[in-house]
Amino acid sequence: MTATAERQMELTLPMIPDIEIAAARAAGNLARELGMASESIDEMAHAMIEACINAREHSGSADKRIYVKIAGASLSEGNSRIDIWISDRGRGFDVTEARTRRQKLGSVHKRGWGLQIIEAHMDEVSIETSTDGTTIHMVKYGRRSE
Amino acid sequence: MTATAERQMELTLPMIPDIEIAAARAAGNLARELGMASESIDEMAHAMIEACINAREHSGSADKRIYVKIAGASLSEGNSRIDIWISDRGRGFDVTEARTRRQKLGSVHKRGWGLQIIEAHMDEVSIETSTDGTTIHMVKYGRRSE
Amino acid sequence: MTDELRVALDRRNPTGAVLFTKGYINNVGGEEIANRAYELMDDGVRSLLLNLRETKIVNSIGISILIEIIEKMIDKGGKIGFCCLTPVIHKTFQIMGLANYASIYTDEETALREMGL
Amino acid sequence: MTDELRVALDRRNPTGAVLFTKGYINNVGGEEIANRAYELMDDGVRSLLLNLRETKIVNSIGISILIEIIEKMIDKGGKIGFCCLTPVIHKTFQIMGLANYASIYTDEETALREMGL
Ligand SMILES: Nc1ncnc2c1ncn2[C@@H]1O[C@H](COP(=O)(O)OP(=O)(O)O)[C@@H](O)[C@H]1O
Ligand SMILES: Nc1ncnc2c1ncn2[C@@H]1O[C@H](COP(=O)(O)OP(=O)(O)O)[C@@H](O)[C@H]1O
């Protein structure tokens, strides 16, 4: 599969209530232009919402900003790929520890589902985190909407 | 008056409906931290809203983003100053021509009030515009809220 | 984040009503108010008070739609009043000249009395 | 931009009701639903259907508040049902295990029948 069209967008958003919607909507517009099916766009939107909320609620970043990068490519046969990076300059966290904590709770916990939702809705997810901040990189593959 | 504290924030926002509220809210948070009175903050918010709407509705920018820079300073005796730059990479416009058009219409026009509202709510306003885009620079001075 | 506009109605009498707004008066919010106002005008209302007590943010597109409502009401021989504006919204109304076509009252009690509602 | 949450009520009978939601179920939206649900539970409702037909976006904080509502209702011996979920919201409910505590129906007709509303 060779990329035939590329679209890119970088956003710097304030950590205010509901700003996650702005990130999701911007990515949705770009994905629609690439012909991604609406259900895939909706999954991607819900993953982005969780990632932005984590940045706002947990990062403790001093600059109170969320950095969003969206890169979309049309692949052959009407397929597309969207890469999304959501970053904060906060304190970071221990991903293994967070996963263990979640497993210990079993299925009864009310909170602590954000990362699982992100993983369920996206095709690839990786997290880079240190005391300088956190970046979550997520990939969604799309088929042309009919 | 010498500056005693400085705060700065740069945002890159997508041109989606109501995104002007995110810009205004981020600036409002910063202004509140500097102790600006709420009525001044509210005036600044309404000016920013008009400037962001102009960028979204008129600039025709290809990158569909609004660049916002906010710089706040605490001055002596509880006073403060906020500088705001709102930029787009659109087609630009002829400010003199826009002003003349407005005057020709007299007071009966329904649309075309954005720039006048901005000027009424802010203490200083200047516009730089070319075929590479437009930046509106606005300044608001604040007294400490009691 | 947005404060989506909501409108509530107090139908005072066959020719009079109050609309209460809550939230952002932008293009969408302005259209919402206009729809409610035109329904009332079709139903005989000629004295309409817009109580903006719970609206804290407006933009010039939203206000331009309010001007259209005022014009339509004047055409029908009726009148529009506003009350409970924040200082900044009041200032914006003055800049855009709404005070020339509509009465602006500080509180609802005065507005209801002066408009005969 | 946000799609602020709104809730509408259809009180079917002394122990049954339907709440319709519109807009984003975030923390604020979840609390709004919870307040309405707890009012109904205090008023004797033990069979409550949440029709999410006009909700297109949720987040995990909002859903966690829905789980609290379900738990409170189970404590009172009642039941909560959901209907008209978008595919993504349905998937999110499954991930978070709501299907273990509450019934999820595809359409309102089936939900009303199965819940005896
Ligand atoms: N951007 C972030 N910065 C710091 N900590 C984070 C970040 N994202 C997630 N975490 C940590 O990982 C935990 C698990 O996150 P998540 O699965 O989204 O659940 P929840 O947000 O509901 O706690 C959080 O409680 C938090 O401690
Ligand atoms: N960022 C911008 N890019 C291009 N044109 C602009 C921009 N801002 C303002 N303008 C031009 O100036 C005119 C006057 O703007 P304004 O006073 O805000 O009124 P309105 O937006 O209601 O037309 C607009 O109609 C538009 O032609």
Side-chain angles (χ1 to χ4, degrees):
Chain A
M1 294 202 287
T2 48
T4 56
E6 298 269 354
R7 291 287 317 275
Q8 208 170 294
M9 177 172 260
E10 284 184 51
L11 303 173
T12 310
L13 304 174
M15 286 182 172
I16 58 175
D18 293 347
I19 192 68
E20 62 273 18
I21 301 294
R25 207 149 288 180
N29 289 344
L30 195 149
R32 237 182 314 279
E33 287 170 23
L34 294 173
M36 192 178 265
S38 67
E39 195 173 322
S40 301
I41 294 177
D42 206 17
E43 290 181 329
M44 181 180 75
H46 278 80
M48 290 181 74
I49 284 168
E50 296 297 326
C52 289
I53 291 172
N54 277 351
R56 187 180 62 226
E57 303 299 321
H58 300 305
S59 74
S61 82
D63 74 356
K64 292 187 183 144
R65 272 170 285 176
I66 305 173
Y67 301 85
V68 178
K69 186 173 160 187
I70 307 161
S74 290
L75 309 174
S76 57
E77 291 164 24
N79 295 316
S80 55
R81 171 190 168 125
I82 308 248
D83 282 73
I84 291 161
W85 292 262
I86 293 178
S87 309
D88 62 67
R89 298 192 183 149
R91 66 172 77 93
F93 69 110
D94 185 331
V95 182
T96 317
E97 196 269 330
R99 287 224 166 85
T100 315
R101 207 182 332 138
R102 185 169 76 192
Q103 273 159 11
K104 275 204 197 122
L105 286 165
S107 61
V108 299
H109 55 303
K110 279 177 214 126
R111 295 292 299 277
W113 289 101
L115 294 174
Q116 245 168 297
I117 289 169
I118 292 169
E119 282 159 13
H121 288 330
M122 300 298 284
D123 295 309
E124 294 170 23
V125 177
S126 62
I127 300 175
E128 244 180 84
T129 176
S130 76
T131 51
D132 292 332
T134 299
T135 293
I136 179 159
H137 174 203
M138 318 186 276
V139 183
K140 186 81 183 170
Y141 293 96
R143 233 153 260 100
R144 182 159 295 285
S145 51
E146 260 105 7
Chain B
M1 293 200 288
T2 47
T4 55
E6 299 270 353
R7 289 290 316 274
Q8 207 170 294
M9 177 172 261
E10 283 184 53
L11 303 173
T12 309
L13 303 174
M15 286 183 172
I16 58 174
D18 293 349
I19 192 68
E20 63 272 16
I21 301 295
R25 207 147 288 180
N29 288 345
L30 195 149
R32 236 182 316 279
E33 286 171 23
L34 294 172
M36 192 178 266
S38 67
E39 196 173 321
S40 302
I41 293 176
D42 206 17
E43 291 181 329
M44 182 180 75
H46 278 81
M48 290 180 75
I49 284 169
E50 296 297 327
C52 289
I53 291 172
N54 277 351
R56 187 179 61 226
E57 303 298 321
H58 301 305
S59 73
S61 82
D63 75 356
K64 292 188 183 140
R65 273 171 284 176
I66 305 173
Y67 301 85
V68 178
K69 185 173 160 186
I70 307 160
S74 290
L75 309 173
S76 58
E77 290 165 24
N79 295 316
S80 55
R81 169 190 169 128
I82 308 248
D83 282 72
I84 292 162
W85 292 262
I86 293 179
S87 309
D88 61 67
R89 296 191 185 150
R91 66 172 76 93
F93 70 109
D94 184 332
V95 182
T96 316
E97 196 268 331
R99 287 224 166 84
T100 315
R101 209 182 332 139
R102 185 168 76 191
Q103 272 159 12
K104 276 204 194 119
L105 286 166
S107 60
V108 298
H109 56 303
K110 279 176 215 129
R111 296 291 300 276
W113 289 101
L115 295 173
Q116 245 168 296
I117 289 170
I118 292 169
E119 282 160 12
H121 288 331
M122 300 298 284
D123 295 309
E124 293 169 25
V125 177
S126 62
I127 299 175
E128 243 181 86
T129 175
S130 76
T131 51
D132 293 331
T134 300
T135 293
I136 180 159
H137 175 202
M138 318 186 276
V139 183
K140 186 82 185 170
Y141 293 97
R143 235 153 261 100
R144 182 159 294 284
S145 51
E146 258 108 9
Chain C
M1 170 167 141
T2 316
D3 243 356
E4 213 180 299
L5 191 95
R6 306 184 193 195
V7 185
L9 169 66
D10 176 13
R11 182 68 186 255
R12 308 286 293 187
N13 60 53
T15 62
V18 184
L19 284 177
F20 298 85
T21 68
K22 186 172 190 298
Y24 185 22
I25 302 184
N26 57 4
N27 50 338
V28 180
E31 292 295 351
E32 181 107 13
I33 298 170
N35 290 339
R36 299 295 293 269
Y38 297 153
E39 267 173 40
L40 290 168
M41 282 156 66
D42 286 345
D43 196 41
V45 166
R46 292 294 175 269
S47 194
L48 176 62
L49 174 63
L50 293 174
N51 184 331
L52 269 56
R53 195 182 48 203
E54 295 191 83
T55 282
K56 306 297 173 204
I57 318 176
V58 299
N59 72 32
S60 60
I61 305 175
I63 305 303
S64 72
I65 298 170
L66 299 184
I67 296 178
E68 283 170 18
I69 303 173
I70 297 170
E71 289 176 343
K72 288 229 170 83
M73 184 60 111
I74 289 173
D75 282 350
K76 289 192 187 289
K79 61 178 182 291
I80 301 268
F82 291 91
C83 77
C84 311
L85 309 178
T86 70
V88 180
I89 295 177
H90 193 182
K91 187 173 160 187
T92 308
F93 273 34
Q94 284 175 319
I95 297 166
M96 289 182 66
L98 264 80
N100 303 330
Y101 313 90
S103 299
I104 298 171
Y105 306 97
T106 45
D107 60 293
E108 196 184 359
E109 204 189 310
T110 313
L112 293 175
R113 196 178 52 237
E114 301 269 323
M115 293 181 75
L117 285 169
Chain D
M1 171 168 139
T2 317
D3 245 355
E4 212 180 299
L5 191 95
R6 305 184 194 196
V7 185
L9 169 66
D10 177 11
R11 181 66 186 255
R12 309 284 295 185
N13 59 53
T15 61
V18 184
L19 284 177
F20 298 86
T21 68
K22 186 174 191 296
Y24 185 23
I25 303 184
N26 56 4
N27 51 337
V28 180
E31 291 296 349
E32 181 107 13
I33 297 169
N35 289 338
R36 298 295 292 271
Y38 297 153
E39 268 173 40
L40 290 167
M41 283 157 65
D42 285 345
D43 196 40
V45 167
R46 292 294 175 268
S47 193
L48 176 62
L49 174 64
L50 294 174
N51 184 331
L52 268 56
R53 197 181 48 205
E54 296 191 81
T55 283
K56 306 297 173 203
I57 319 176
V58 300
N59 71 33
S60 60
I61 305 175
I63 305 303
S64 72
I65 298 170
L66 299 184
I67 296 178
E68 283 170 17
I69 302 174
I70 296 169
E71 288 176 344
K72 288 229 171 85
M73 184 60 110
I74 288 173
D75 281 351
K76 288 190 188 289
K79 60 177 181 292
I80 302 267
F82 293 90
C83 77
C84 310
L85 309 179
T86 70
V88 180
I89 295 177
H90 193 182
K91 187 173 160 187
T92 308
F93 274 35
Q94 284 176 319
I95 298 165
M96 290 182 66
L98 264 79
N100 302 331
Y101 313 89
S103 300
I104 298 172
Y105 306 97
T106 47
D107 60 293
E108 196 185 359
E109 206 189 308
T110 312
L112 292 175
R113 196 180 51 238
E114 301 269 322
M115 293 182 74
L117 286 169

